[in-house]
């Protein structure tokens, strides 16, 4: 057993063993990665020293723990990060891992601060990176539904709430609701969660109890805003009252729950499952359109459909070879476009100067490095004025 001053612990330190406070309460039962958020949380909780009990060397990592570690790695491998950094997604994954791990080990409380920090970090990036919404379409994973689904639903809920024009605090609240919406699945036997064959009526009944379990688990915790509890409780309700667990309908359903419900269905549709292929974003929104008015409140679903549709239109505009108008009024052509872990890298060749005069030599600009230039909009080839490569600026209402 070793006492360690918090100030001595560096970000990224991994302690393989039990971490407790000097008052004896166990903070983390096993392997813990000290993220920036975790260190800040401990400081906030006025914990300046921890007690570390190393795992016995001969004790191998259990299959369960190995599986947990692999899951995080799988998430990070499978994620296309869009405008969100790998580190932020990692924080979310670790935070979710800690919640589920603690709960599976009999500790029934949720590390709510850690969830908050993760979701807020994602939101900061969505807010400061205008292309993050477009890139939301890329935030998909191939495998492992449970973790990825919670993170995806959190992110999609955040983005939709932002589009609905809610203030910052509400957007974060809805994001947290999305992140925690399925927490009640912890109370459903894993054999049932992972079952790929058709469920019996009794099994369906048990599966459908997960919103009530979410309610039971979270409503006990006074730190958790009741609206978050409600989002988890209502995310399978339907506009026509044919959902579960209570069958409430129409305006009795909280708008926040409808947002999380939409994010949940959209993510489920666009993810590969053992029993179905992944639908494309286009197919998924057309399915959601079909269920608008029965499953989903039209007022919110239409906003969601338009938003994804606009994102698709924008996305299709920017390919290698696309012509774009920069904020400097220079015309350029995309010559390199690649999604990296920490965002999109775009290199353009400038074709004209800001006065529409054709350039005599090729100038390449990496827009990630050049902070003064950014893409204002795409330019269709028919907007060009003959050989001079001039954009017919007056034809555009965007200018
Ligand atoms: Fe659910």
């Amino acid at each position: 057993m070793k006492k360690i001053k918090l100030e001595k612990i560096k970000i990224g330190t991994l302690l393989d063993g039990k971490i407790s406070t000097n008052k004896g309460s166990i903070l983390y039962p096993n392997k813990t990665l000290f993220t920036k958020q975790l260190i800040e949380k401990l400081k906030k909780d006025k914990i300046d020293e921890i007690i570390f009990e190393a795992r016995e060397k001969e004790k191998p990592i259990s299959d369960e723990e190995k599986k947990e570690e692999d899951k995080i790695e799988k998430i990070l491998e499978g994620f296309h990060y869009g405008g969100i950094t790998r580190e932020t997604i990692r924080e979310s994954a670790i935070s979710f891992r800690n919640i589920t791990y603690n709960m599976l080990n009999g500790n029934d409380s949720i590390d709510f601060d850690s969830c908050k920090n993760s979701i807020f970090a994602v939101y900061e990036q969505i807010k400061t990176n205008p292309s993050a919404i477009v890139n939301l379409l890329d935030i998909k994973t191939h495998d492992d539904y449970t973790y990825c689904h919670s993170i995806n639903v959190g992110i999609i809920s955040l983005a939709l709430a932002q589009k609905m024009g809610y203030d910052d605090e509400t957007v974060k609240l809805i994001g947290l609701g999305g992140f925690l919406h399925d927490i009640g699945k912890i109370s459903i036997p894993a054999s049932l969660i992972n079952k790929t064959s058709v469920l019996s009526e009794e099994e369906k009944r048990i599966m459908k109890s997960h919103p009530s379990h979410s309610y039971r688990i979270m409503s006990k915790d006074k730190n958790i805003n009741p609206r978050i509890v409600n989002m988890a409780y209502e995310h399978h309700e339907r506009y026509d009252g044919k959902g579960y667990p209570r069958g409430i309908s129409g305006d009795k359903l909280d708008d926040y729950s409808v947002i999380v419900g939409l994010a949940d269905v959209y993510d489920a549709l666009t993810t590969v499952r053992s029993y179905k292929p992944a639908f494309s974003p286009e197919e998924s929104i057309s399915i959601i359109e079909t269920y608008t008015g029965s499953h989903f409140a039209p007022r919110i679903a239409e906003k969601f459909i338009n938003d994804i549709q606009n994102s698709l239109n924008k996305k299709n505009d920017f390919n290698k070879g696309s012509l774009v108008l920069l904020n400097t009024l220079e015309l350029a052509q995309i010559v390199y476009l690649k999604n990296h872990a920490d965002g999109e890298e775009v290199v353009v060749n400038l074709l004209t100067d800001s006065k529409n005069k054709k350039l005599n030599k090729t100038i390449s600009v990496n827009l990630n490095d050049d902070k003064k230039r950014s893409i204002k909009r795409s330019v269709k080839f028919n907007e060009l004025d003959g050989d001079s490569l001039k954009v017919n600026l007056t034809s555009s209402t965007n200018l």
Side-chain angles (χ1 to χ4, degrees):
M1 219 181 287
K2 209 166 128 188
K3 286 184 179 176
I4 309 175
K5 288 270 177 222
L6 190 63
E7 64 202 27
K8 298 264 185 245
I9 301 176
K10 291 199 178 98
I11 294 171
T13 303
L14 183 86
L15 291 182
D16 191 8
K18 192 167 80 180
I19 311 280
S20 28
T21 64
N22 45 16
K23 291 193 186 88
S25 54
I26 297 171
L27 287 171
Y28 297 97
N30 234 310
K31 209 180 251 189
T32 302
L33 178 68
F34 282 81
T35 59
K36 193 172 161 222
Q37 276 84 356
L38 176 60
I39 293 174
E40 275 165 12
K41 176 188 178 307
L42 294 174
K43 276 189 200 155
K44 213 176 112 203
D45 293 345
K46 304 210 176 350
I47 295 169
D48 54 7
E49 189 176 68
I50 54 145
I51 296 170
F52 168 57
E53 203 177 318
R55 190 206 302 263
E56 288 168 32
K57 281 281 173 286
E58 63 272 23
K59 191 180 164 197
I61 294 180
S62 72
D63 286 353
E64 196 52 41
E65 287 164 308
K66 176 84 181 66
K67 242 164 81 187
E68 297 299 314
E69 291 302 315
D70 288 350
K71 274 180 188 173
I72 301 233
E73 281 319 304
K74 225 185 225 176
I75 288 171
L76 295 171
E77 260 171 42
F79 252 96
H80 303 286
Y81 302 91
I84 300 164
T85 63
R86 180 187 167 98
E87 199 38 48
T88 302
I89 297 292
R90 191 179 175 81
E91 295 279 351
S92 301
I94 291 169
S95 151
F96 203 75
R97 193 264 318 245
N98 286 345
I99 298 170
T100 48
Y101 203 80
N102 279 351
M103 292 188 114
L104 290 170
N105 281 285
N107 179 352
D108 222 10
S109 72
I110 293 174
D111 186 354
F112 189 56
D113 282 342
S114 159
C115 303
K116 262 201 230 142
N117 287 334
S118 312
I119 281 295
F120 292 3
V122 171
Y123 181 51
E124 281 310 310
Q125 291 183 16
I126 288 183
K127 238 172 65 172
T128 52
N129 180 356
S131 67
I133 300 296
V134 178
N135 291 329
L136 193 63
L137 297 168
D138 295 329
I139 299 171
K140 294 305 305 173
T141 47
H142 312 296
D143 277 297
D144 208 290
Y145 196 60
T146 330
Y147 274 36
C148 306
H149 180 62
S150 294
I151 298 168
N152 289 339
V153 173
I155 297 173
I156 297 167
S157 303
L158 271 178
L160 178 56
Q162 194 197 25
K163 283 280 164 188
M164 298 289 295
Y166 288 114
D167 61 67
D168 274 14
E169 287 314 304
T170 309
V171 172
K172 290 180 199 171
L173 190 75
I174 295 172
L176 275 165
F179 192 52
L180 293 169
H181 77 289
D182 260 351
I183 201 77
K185 283 196 175 162
I186 283 173
S187 302
I188 309 284
S191 56
L192 198 52
I193 301 269
N194 298 323
K195 190 167 175 183
T196 52
S197 52
V198 180
L199 300 183
S200 70
E201 285 309 310
E202 176 58 7
E203 286 170 331
K204 277 187 202 158
R205 190 192 62 74
I206 297 171
M207 273 303 279
K208 284 184 170 182
S209 67
H210 77 270
S212 305
H213 286 299
S214 297
Y215 180 86
R216 177 182 55 78
I217 293 165
M218 291 201 281
S219 57
K220 283 191 298 202
D221 192 328
K222 297 291 162 251
N223 289 319
I224 301 181
N225 186 311
R227 296 289 286 270
I228 294 177
V229 183
N230 202 43
M231 284 180 249
Y233 196 25
E234 291 185 350
H235 74 276
H236 284 293
E237 298 289 0
R238 286 172 42 165
Y239 188 65
D240 60 8
K242 292 182 183 163
Y244 62 89
R246 289 179 293 164
I248 50 174
S249 61
D251 289 338
K252 289 197 196 86
L253 275 169
D254 190 342
D255 281 359
Y256 300 179
S257 311
V258 178
I259 291 174
V260 170
L262 270 164
D264 181 28
V265 168
Y266 179 76
D267 186 60
L269 288 170
T270 52
T271 304
V272 186
R273 302 298 305 273
S274 53
Y275 49 84
K276 70 159 195 64
F279 292 109
S280 68
E282 288 91 340
E283 288 166 323
S284 302
I285 55 168
S286 100
I287 294 169
I288 287 178
E289 218 163 8
T290 313
Y291 289 107
T292 297
S294 55
H295 283 60
F296 308 114
R299 188 168 39 89
I300 301 171
E302 278 156 16
K303 183 88 194 153
F304 183 71
I305 292 164
N306 286 341
D307 183 37
I308 299 277
Q309 193 67 61
N310 286 342
S311 296
L312 286 167
N313 291 343
K314 267 193 222 158
K315 191 180 165 69
N316 293 339
D317 279 344
F318 298 117
N319 293 310
K320 199 173 154 193
S322 296
L323 291 175
V324 287
L325 189 67
L326 304 184
N327 59 332
T328 50
L329 298 186
E330 293 161 306
L331 179 69
Q333 184 164 35
I334 297 178
V335 290
Y336 180 82
L337 183 72
K338 199 164 169 57
N339 270 319
H340 294 294
D342 51 357
E344 198 172 54
E345 187 181 358
V346 185
V347 178
V348 296
N349 277 352
L350 299 182
L351 302 176
T352 72
D353 65 14
S354 57
K355 302 226 163 33
N356 295 326
K357 205 165 151 257
K358 190 177 170 185
L359 298 177
N360 292 327
K361 62 174 185 169
T362 308
I363 302 174
S364 286
V365 177
N366 185 326
L367 293 181
N368 299 64
D369 300 334
D370 189 327
K371 297 293 168 227
K372 287 191 185 132
R373 288 185 172 96
S374 62
I375 295 176
K376 190 173 170 67
R377 67 173 179 90
S378 67
V379 173
K380 302 273 178 280
F381 280 88
N382 60 11
E383 285 182 82
L384 300 180
D385 185 10
D387 290 339
S388 65
L389 285 177
K390 280 182 185 172
V391 182
N392 187 358
L393 296 175
T394 50
S395 72
S396 169
T397 50
N398 279 353
L399 293 165

